[in-house]
Amino acid sequence: MMSFENIDLNLVYIALGAMTLVLLPIFLWHTPLVGAKTRNSISTAIRNLWLHKLRSFLSVLGIIIGTGAVIALMAFGEGSMQDALDDIKRQGATNIIVMSVKPPEEATSTRRSFVAKYGLTDQDYNRFQQTLPNLVATLPMRVFAAEIRPVIESRMFQGRVVGTTAHYSTVYQIQDRIERGRFLEEQDENPVPRNVTVIGSAIASTLFPGEDPLGKSIKFSGKDRAFTIVGVLKDRTPSTSAGDIEDYNGDVYIPLAACRSLLGELVVFRSSGMRGAEQVQLNRIVLTVQVMDQVRPTSEMVRAQLEEYHDRNKRDWEIKVPLDKLEQAERTRDRYRMQMAMIAGISLLVGGIGIMNIMLATVTERTREIGIRRALGAKRGDITFQFLVEAVVQTTVGGVMGVGLGFAVIYAVPWLVLRYFEERIPAAVHVPSVFMAFFVAVVVGVLFGWYPSRRAARLDPIEALRHE
Amino acid sequence: MSAIARVVNLVKNYNLEGGLVQALRGVNLDFEEGDFVALMGPSGSGKSTLLNLLGCLDRPSAGHYYLGNQDVSQMDDDQLSEIRSRYLGFIFQSYNLIAQYTVVENIQVPLLYQGKMNQQTYHRCVRLAQMVGLGDRLDHRPTQLSGGQQQRVAIARSLVNNPHVILADEATGNLDTKTSIEIMELLTALNEMGKTIIMVTHENDIAEWARRVVRMRDGNVESDERKRRVHRRPTNPLVGSRR
């Protein structure tokens, strides 16, 4: 799966760039800007290239591989960056997620019955709202795992119930991710909580296959109260920003007030013979600030407050900043860029040596031709220019083939890996890198073609004419 | 007739491993406009060295070479290239055509370095090809032509820049007798049209076609004689029979 929106847009840029690269020379070719010498040198170079197809191909192989590798690596680096950015966007780059965490001593308790009281409280929530500057939205959430069943059918889904407010829609930007119906609204909360719910796509397809879930009711394990479905969400990409992978498609959203009245403050659970209960007021608070620059200072203030009002020895909260992922992605990208620079450097060297080698052989092979041209009036500069053009034409052709190879890798590798290993490799064509790699290939021609060309030009015409 | 080329005390020394070799030891020669000169001499006599100097492919160690009114003996490499492309035409023993070019493209090469390659000069190249009898082989490559035909292309090429002097180095050396005669007929016709031709040859029967024979020995001019031309040009000289 690739981010096709990006690829397609980039393809437009690439196509425009490629058209410019093709049409501009054709246009220039027919203007006085390109002199007869240049025209002749280019056509001679193309003819010689065509005359020795295999040899020319082998000599530019280094350039082809180098250019292709740079474009592909940049695309994969850019892909993971895009991926992270998309994830951050889904999570909200301006969000700060404060989570309740079960403290270690509570988690390892062996007591057979125990009420664990920990985590974020309504007081925390109110304090954040009152004291933190720059907040755009605050979102309280209550989250618990539950078996979800339709009221009149026997199907079941092991999902997650999220008690929250209408702000969820803004903070998680799901306005355009509603498949049917609507999301929770202010009126579901006030003045009296309503028993309505919005369900994720996986729940809809599992509990109501081939049916319209709107208007139907669901229940949660151990509770009698039925919730009427008012909305169904579209498929949402799982996120890793809040720690573990969150699969939103198995979520059920109910008004926070309804959640409170359903559960009280105590969540009772049974597992492997243990019976326990947790008392958590809020599992999560999401704070949204105006701009990304405010994320870090605000999260520091949150940390300071929580450290002040919560037991220092019983650390029952955690702050997640989706922005951290951005830095991680930037590090990944930088690593790719480093690798790319190294590969570009090596390919430049290898490709250049290949070109220089073949150009030196060409100069020896065509010594007599050089003599003829000199006798017929070619200046040293003309000979240098001709052979330089031949080197550049070779590397340009190599560059074009390298771009092709790069694109082939970008499209083929993720497809193959997805098909045979079921792993997703994000790839996004990095447009500047395509042109940069191509440009570098051309420059290699100039750099490594220079010496053989000068050598050709310095040949003594008489000696060159005698050359067999 | 005025001197189109003049060499004065021309000396050329080569520093070889065995020591200094004096290839030319003070040669004085005048070449008049419309001359047809055969440079003869045994190997090592200096005739090829002289031709290279006359062709501005090399510079003399001492002395002067005047081409028209210009002393070209002190010119730098680029200036000599300019002189070659404007005022001189070359015909070589082994034709020296560029293998990947067609007949017309080969004829065009000197124009390329004068920056005069355009539609007009292209037609001139076609006319020259037709003149030397290769009008139906314009797009052939050298490998598709016989030796005589290749030398005709070389002659057409030597004419394309309308040179002051055409220099021929053993122009018939690689050709059989019949083809040699065709080529010499062509050169004679050009000479009769006013072209100055200086050719190096070691064959007496080829030298017979010239109006003046300069014999060289040990870097000096041994003899310089003018004579009546033995051969007459054929009735249709520029389109001789083709092989």
Side-chain angles (χ1 to χ4, degrees):
Chain A
M1 260 196 11
M2 270 189 280
S3 45
F4 280 105
E5 297 98 322
N6 293 322
I7 291 281
D8 288 345
L9 191 62
N10 282 334
L11 278 181
V12 173
Y13 293 141
I14 300 276
L16 283 176
M19 265 168 61
T20 314
L21 280 178
V22 171
L23 293 179
L24 191 69
I26 291 174
F27 169 72
L28 288 174
W29 186 269
H30 292 97
T31 64
L33 286 171
V34 176
K37 279 182 200 170
T38 314
R39 238 173 278 177
N40 186 272
S41 297
I42 292 172
S43 66
T44 304
I46 291 170
R47 259 187 244 191
N48 284 324
L49 212 67
W50 193 245
L51 209 63
H52 308 284
K53 288 181 274 291
L54 181 65
R55 189 172 86 171
S56 307
F57 172 73
L58 291 177
S59 69
V60 295
L61 199 55
I63 303 279
I64 296 173
I65 293 172
T67 313
V70 168
I71 292 170
L73 267 183
M74 280 301 281
F76 294 136
E78 199 62 22
S80 62
M81 182 73 188
Q82 285 278 340
D83 222 30
L85 275 175
D86 287 350
D87 199 23
I88 293 158
K89 250 187 234 162
R90 280 193 296 276
Q91 281 295 301
T94 50
N95 285 354
I96 300 160
I97 302 166
V98 193
M99 298 167 77
S100 293
V101 180
K102 198 168 189 176
E105 67 268 33
E106 312 280 348
T108 57
S109 170
T110 52
R111 287 160 70 173
R112 294 193 70 80
S113 175
F114 182 75
V115 177
K117 190 178 171 189
Y118 67 91
L120 302 167
T121 61
D122 292 333
Q123 275 176 321
D124 290 325
Y125 177 70
N126 292 333
R127 206 183 309 112
F128 291 152
Q129 273 191 316
Q130 284 156 16
T131 59
L132 295 177
N134 307 321
L135 290 185
V136 181
T138 52
L139 182 72
M141 283 163 77
R142 185 104 191 250
V143 183
F144 64 95
E147 286 171 6
I148 303 156
R149 297 172 190 278
V151 172
I152 47 168
E153 282 178 74
S154 57
R155 293 194 188 89
M156 186 270 279
F157 189 96
Q158 195 68 47
R160 197 170 71 151
V161 180
V162 179
T164 187
T165 65
H167 289 305
Y168 184 95
S169 160
T170 332
V171 170
Y172 281 90
Q173 298 167 4
I174 56 164
Q175 294 92 331
D176 55 347
R177 313 230 37 100
I178 295 165
E179 175 80 40
R180 302 180 62 79
R182 60 170 177 88
F183 197 73
L184 300 178
E185 286 169 2
E186 204 65 45
Q187 61 194 30
D188 300 327
E189 204 87 23
N190 289 312
V192 267
R194 291 191 193 171
N195 296 326
V196 291
T197 179
V198 176
I199 61 174
S201 61
I203 297 178
S205 61
T206 309
L207 300 187
F208 308 99
E211 292 174 68
D212 183 2
L214 288 189
K216 301 223 162 55
S217 297
I218 50 172
K219 287 208 268 188
F220 311 122
S221 45
K223 307 290 174 192
D224 283 334
R225 199 186 300 174
F227 284 77
T228 310
I229 298 167
V230 292
V232 181
L233 297 183
K234 286 182 187 165
D235 212 32
R236 287 167 72 192
T237 315
S239 165
T240 53
S241 293
D244 299 333
I245 292 172
E246 280 191 281
D247 180 10
Y248 301 110
N249 298 325
D251 278 357
V252 163
Y253 303 90
I254 59 175
L256 185 63
C259 184
R260 286 232 166 94
S261 69
L262 179 73
L263 296 176
E265 286 195 345
L266 212 63
V267 176
V268 181
F269 64 86
R270 294 183 189 86
S271 80
S272 56
M274 269 174 49
R275 188 161 179 280
E278 287 181 356
Q279 188 175 340
V280 183
Q281 287 184 354
L282 290 171
N283 294 84
R284 194 181 290 193
I285 299 169
V286 181
L287 307 166
T288 306
V289 291
Q290 282 157 346
V291 289
M292 277 205 261
D293 285 348
Q294 296 162 346
V295 170
R296 300 218 178 275
T298 311
S299 79
E300 281 314 304
M301 283 183 243
V302 171
R303 180 179 306 278
Q305 284 195 14
L306 291 173
E307 274 171 358
E308 191 182 337
Y309 290 101
H310 283 242
D311 187 349
R312 275 175 183 270
N313 302 321
K314 193 178 91 173
R315 199 181 170 89
D316 58 353
W317 50 270
E318 196 180 349
I319 301 170
K320 299 267 186 195
V321 181
L323 205 56
D324 286 340
K325 259 212 112 179
L326 186 67
E327 286 179 358
Q328 201 185 326
E330 275 170 350
R331 277 198 296 277
T332 312
R333 188 189 52 185
D334 289 347
R335 202 161 51 235
Y336 270 115
R337 290 213 168 142
M338 276 282 289
Q339 287 172 359
M340 188 221 58
M342 272 169 62
I343 286 174
I346 293 167
S347 70
L348 186 126
L349 199 68
V350 174
I353 290 167
I355 292 297
M356 195 190 260
N357 188 27
I358 212 70
M359 287 306 294
L360 284 172
T362 304
V363 168
T364 308
E365 228 171 53
R366 288 165 57 192
T367 298
R368 199 186 181 93
E369 182 196 317
I370 294 163
I372 299 168
R373 288 180 184 274
R374 293 281 278 133
L376 300 181
K379 297 188 176 103
R380 282 189 173 151
D382 296 327
I383 301 292
T384 306
F385 182 72
Q386 187 196 332
F387 281 88
L388 208 52
V389 165
E390 293 202 12
V392 171
V393 165
Q394 284 198 25
T395 53
T396 304
V397 171
V400 169
M401 290 168 97
V403 170
L405 177 74
F407 273 84
V409 169
I410 292 169
Y411 283 93
V413 169
W415 183 79
L416 286 173
V417 169
L418 188 69
R419 192 185 159 105
Y420 294 105
F421 301 99
E422 289 175 6
E423 284 268 339
R424 200 180 86 87
I425 296 184
V429 177
H430 184 240
V431 179
S433 81
V434 176
F435 290 100
M436 192 196 70
F438 178 75
F439 179 71
V440 166
V442 174
V443 168
V444 165
V446 178
L447 290 178
F448 287 84
W450 183 254
Y451 173 70
S453 307
R454 290 294 291 169
R455 213 163 119 149
R458 295 206 170 278
L459 287 172
D460 176 47
I462 298 171
E463 289 293 321
L465 278 168
R466 274 193 210 129
H467 193 266
E468 289 300 323
Chain B
M1 279 199 278
S2 57
I4 200 160
R6 190 155 61 96
V7 294
V8 181
N9 286 326
L10 208 63
V11 174
K12 181 66 188 177
N13 300 325
Y14 292 110
N15 274 310
L16 299 179
E17 278 177 28
L20 193 75
V21 173
Q22 288 187 294
L24 292 180
R25 301 165 187 248
V27 171
N28 291 290
L29 281 171
D30 278 12
F31 300 97
E32 285 160 1
E33 198 169 352
D35 239 347
F36 190 168
V37 185
L39 279 177
M40 299 193 73
S43 81
S45 61
K47 58 182 190 303
S48 291
T49 304
L50 180 58
L51 195 77
N52 286 339
L53 290 173
L54 291 173
C56 292
L57 291 165
D58 207 353
R59 263 169 296 197
S61 307
H64 297 277
Y65 170 25
Y66 299 95
L67 192 65
N69 300 319
Q70 297 183 83
D71 183 358
V72 299
S73 46
Q74 302 305 319
M75 286 185 172
D76 67 20
D77 199 88
D78 278 1
Q79 286 172 315
L80 289 179
S81 296
E82 191 77 26
I83 294 290
R84 287 197 297 271
S85 78
R86 286 189 189 283
Y87 305 117
L88 301 172
F90 288 90
I91 304 166
F92 302 96
Q93 180 177 354
S94 46
Y95 329 125
N96 280 347
L97 302 178
I98 295 174
Q100 63 267 37
Y101 285 0
T102 62
V103 166
V104 180
E105 287 169 337
N106 264 292
I107 298 172
Q108 279 181 306
V109 173
L111 297 174
L112 173 68
Y113 298 114
Q114 280 186 52
K116 285 187 183 168
M117 224 155 87
N118 53 44
Q119 206 59 28
Q120 209 179 341
T121 56
Y122 173 82
H123 291 304
R124 177 172 155 71
C125 294
V126 172
R127 279 200 302 277
L128 281 169
Q130 286 163 344
M131 194 182 94
V132 296
L134 294 170
D136 55 348
R137 285 183 160 61
L138 297 178
D139 294 324
H140 284 51
R141 292 181 201 282
T143 47
Q144 298 168 302
L145 301 175
S146 70
Q149 287 170 330
Q150 290 191 52
Q151 199 59 299
R152 284 167 183 275
V153 178
I155 291 170
R157 182 179 68 185
S158 75
L159 292 169
V160 75
N161 54 349
N162 203 13
H164 286 16
V165 182
I166 295 171
L167 300 154
D169 188 2
E170 305 275 11
T172 57
N174 284 2
L175 302 173
D176 60 42
T177 313
K178 186 168 170 271
T179 317
S180 295
I181 291 170
E182 284 174 19
I183 294 299
M184 289 318 296
E185 281 175 354
L186 196 49
L187 290 179
T188 305
L190 291 172
N191 178 242
E192 292 195 347
M193 286 164 70
K195 292 286 171 204
T196 310
I197 298 172
I198 303 171
M199 65 171 185
V200 162
T201 183
H202 61 271
E203 295 172 75
N204 283 320
D205 54 341
I206 293 299
E208 296 277 275
W209 291 80
R211 293 190 200 175
R212 178 182 168 194
V213 178
V214 175
R215 289 181 197 278
M216 299 196 61
R217 187 174 288 275
D218 300 330
N220 288 310
V221 175
E222 191 185 48
S223 68
D224 182 355
E225 51 183 295
R226 291 188 176 276
K227 59 189 189 59
R228 277 173 62 94
R229 211 200 303 268
V230 175
H231 299 278
R232 299 301 305 164
R233 69 185 174 100
T235 45
N236 187 10
L238 290 174
V239 192
S241 60
R242 268 181 276 122
R243 273 159 52 87

